[in-house]
Amino acid sequence: MIGLQWGDEAKGKIVDLLTECHDVVVRYQGGANAGHTVVTGGQTYKLSLIPSGILRSGVQCVVTGGVVLNPPSILGEIDGLRSRGVEVGGNLLISDRAHVIFPWHMVEDRLTEGAARNGEAIGTTMRGIGPCYRDKVGRANAIRLGDLYRADFRERVERIVAHKSRIIAAIAGDQPTGQDADRLDAATIAADYEQYAERLRPHVADTTTYLLDTLEAGRRVLFEGAQGALLDIDHGTFPYVTSSNSSGVGISSGAGVPGRYLNRIIGVVKAYGTRVGGGPFPTEQDNDLGQHLRDRGNEYGTVTRRPRRCGWFDAVAARYTARLSGVDTLAVMLLDVLSELAEIKICTAYEIDGRRVTVFPSQVDDLRRARPVYETLPGWRQEISHVRALSDLPPNARRYLDRLSQIIGRPVEIVSIGADREQTIQAIHDSGVDE
Ligand code: IMP
């Protein structure tokens, strides 16, 4: 299951629904930059790193080595779930290969963003995600979860803190480094992380082998993508992206699972567009319409509470990411948010330097110059949150779904018309695709 836009496609709800027919749910990239909201049994749960499968008994949740892990943050999630009576024990496995986020990563995130000039800031979530992935690729200063249990852990932290402190001082100049920089004390950090490690110990496992065994045994595994495919480090709107492979291509490397096991991919889209952070967004509506979508859709970041930028559905981008992620069917979320509009637009092409294009540009400068070419459809102007069957949707709502499906080239399998699990329309009852 992959988000096909810039994240925040309400994937948490889809994962929750799909979990019903899976034995294992896997989170395989990103970190606590993601946030999932799941509404079930009248209760709202906000999860970040832990797969929402944790809310169902009998489901095994796995956080793989492709993820970057902030120990206090995941421990906070575990405590929060337990305090609400949710069991978190052997049903949560965390890879010993996952790279660990340390306080210096947060400081580096802030400094990099603070130093960005001329509107070039990425607008990160400041969770230290990028700097941690950078250290993973650089190797010399990286620490994986398994390393927290090694005898030389303290020594490693001391060496890295000395190194990072020099770098931070050099690049900070007169920039404020924030409180955390003053707290880069190796002994304190090592002691804190040893405590976190002890608390996490029951969950730590070689999840690559676990997943290979599980798949070979024919069990049903759901891979839950975080962020959205347009934020993919290699295939998204670089450099305004996150630092992991958030499109479908990231499943194999992030989880350590060969592509041959991926037999059905659901692409999740919101019925309109949103983006949080910097970077081009051709269909953005920085006007009353954008504000209307933000209000109706409660478009404020789950993690940072930042107001999301809102706009029309960009079918050029969604068609690209559906192909990139090998999507079989679509889940269209938040359709109810469009209910009050007299007409609705879909971006079907871009005009770049006078040329009409339907291929998503590989260069961010081209995307910046792209002017959306819209197709206008009539709205339905009636509430649809109570609808449970496709045939009960107003004809114009069905027309809108059909047109999205046609342009993206994939059938719509699920339509969501409200946050609750019940507010869901199964558009295809038998998709004809093996699970
Ligand atoms: P980072 O992942 O914190 O480095 O942020 C990089 C970019 O990805 C920024 O534009 C963030 O706003 C965006 N981003 C990261 N995680 C999410 C998410 O879960 N939803 C939407 N945008 C995200």
Side-chain angles (χ1 to χ4, degrees):
M1 184 228 53
I2 305 290
L4 298 185
Q5 295 157 309
W6 278 288
D8 310 315
E9 297 92 351
K11 298 180 292 293
K13 172 170 168 176
I14 294 299
V15 179
D16 180 50
L17 289 170
L18 296 175
T19 300
E20 214 162 55
C21 48
H22 289 84
D23 305 305
V24 180
V25 183
V26 181
R27 173 76 192 274
Y28 58 87
Q29 44 75 224
N33 46 353
H36 285 172
T37 305
V38 182
V39 182
T40 176
Q43 298 243 49
T44 303
Y45 295 89
K46 289 194 187 297
L47 296 166
S48 190
L49 205 55
I50 299 181
S52 43
I54 204 78
L55 302 174
R56 298 216 184 214
S57 66
V59 171
Q60 181 66 53
C61 293
V62 179
V63 177
T64 73
V67 156
V68 286
L69 188 92
N70 184 349
S73 154
I74 196 167
L75 285 166
E77 266 185 79
I78 293 174
D79 290 342
L81 285 165
R82 284 190 182 139
S83 71
R84 296 177 69 183
V86 178
E87 182 209 336
V88 188
N91 56 346
L92 175 65
L93 295 181
I94 306 170
S95 173
D96 55 0
R97 291 179 171 92
H99 281 254
V100 179
I101 297 177
F102 282 86
W104 52 81
H105 292 130
M106 257 85 80
V107 177
E108 288 177 305
D109 210 348
R110 258 201 309 274
L111 280 177
T112 312
E113 286 287 275
R117 297 277 176 264
N118 307 323
E120 283 184 351
I122 294 166
T124 74
T125 58
M126 303 279 186
R127 297 291 189 276
I129 309 290
C132 184
Y133 276 117
R134 185 163 64 211
D135 279 340
K136 167 179 172 169
V137 177
R139 290 152 293 164
N141 298 309
I143 296 184
R144 305 202 297 180
L145 185 53
D147 296 331
L148 303 190
Y149 306 97
R150 283 169 46 162
D152 65 351
F153 172 62
R154 275 179 179 249
E155 222 172 278
R156 256 177 104 72
V157 171
E158 273 164 29
R159 183 183 61 71
I160 295 173
V161 165
H163 173 80
K164 292 285 183 185
S165 300
R166 284 198 299 274
I167 291 185
I168 289 167
I171 56 176
D174 50 12
Q175 254 199 85
T177 52
Q179 281 183 326
D180 293 349
D182 307 330
R183 280 195 257 124
L184 284 190
D185 172 61
T188 312
I189 294 172
D192 286 348
Y193 275 66
E194 276 169 353
Q195 279 186 20
Y196 303 145
E198 274 324 301
R199 291 198 53 208
L200 288 170
R201 195 188 282 275
H203 305 285
V204 180
D206 171 0
T207 62
T208 306
T209 301
Y210 170 82
L211 284 177
L212 291 172
D213 289 346
T214 302
L215 287 159
E216 282 166 14
R219 298 182 74 209
R220 296 159 306 173
V221 181
L222 173 66
F223 296 91
E224 135 177 16
Q227 288 90 41
L230 292 169
L231 288 172
D232 187 290
I233 179 77
D234 291 309
H235 308 286
T237 52
F238 190 88
Y240 302 99
V241 290
T242 191
S243 32
S244 63
N245 285 117
S246 50
S247 71
V249 301
I251 300 176
S252 286
S253 60
V257 163
R260 64 186 296 175
Y261 289 113
L262 308 176
N263 52 18
R264 180 182 168 201
I265 309 231
I266 298 187
V268 188
V269 291
K270 202 178 306 209
Y272 48 96
T274 63
R275 175 163 206 171
V276 54
F281 176 13
T283 61
E284 180 169 15
Q285 299 297 305
D286 190 9
N287 51 29
D288 288 351
L289 172 72
Q291 190 57 45
H292 172 78
L293 294 172
R294 192 173 300 118
D295 292 341
R296 266 286 318 228
N298 189 23
E299 295 294 354
Y300 295 88
T302 316
V303 172
T304 59
R305 296 308 300 160
R306 285 182 289 178
R308 295 177 186 143
R309 301 156 66 191
C310 296
W312 295 118
F313 190 90
D314 186 340
V316 179
R319 195 159 55 94
Y320 162 64
T321 49
R323 295 174 68 202
L324 173 70
S325 298
V327 162
D328 293 296
T329 60
L330 299 171
V332 180
M333 314 302 290
L334 292 125
L335 186 66
D336 53 303
V337 171
L338 302 180
S339 286
E340 286 165 38
L341 303 176
E343 48 184 37
I344 301 171
K345 293 185 182 187
I346 303 175
C347 168
T348 55
Y350 299 140
E351 219 177 81
I352 304 178
D353 303 334
R355 276 184 42 243
R356 200 180 175 105
V357 296
T358 52
V359 173
F360 191 74
S362 56
Q363 299 300 312
V364 80
D365 288 341
D366 292 338
L367 191 63
R368 230 191 275 280
R369 295 199 311 283
R371 294 197 10 240
V373 177
Y374 289 117
E375 190 174 299
T376 304
L377 277 74
W380 46 91
R381 304 202 92 166
Q382 69 192 78
E383 268 312 314
I384 54 171
S385 319
H386 58 283
V387 174
R388 297 293 176 269
L390 200 62
S391 53
D392 293 338
L393 277 177
N396 285 347
R398 270 184 286 155
R399 194 171 305 160
Y400 182 67
L401 291 172
D402 287 346
R403 191 65 187 122
L404 290 189
S405 165
Q406 195 179 37
I407 306 171
I408 300 171
R410 305 292 190 278
V412 174
E413 179 177 352
I414 299 169
V415 182
S416 175
I417 31 82
D420 204 272
R421 213 183 251 178
E422 304 303 314
Q423 293 175 303
T424 307
I425 299 169
Q426 208 69 39
I428 307 176
H429 290 284
D430 177 10
S431 64
V433 186
D434 286 347
E435 187 124 9

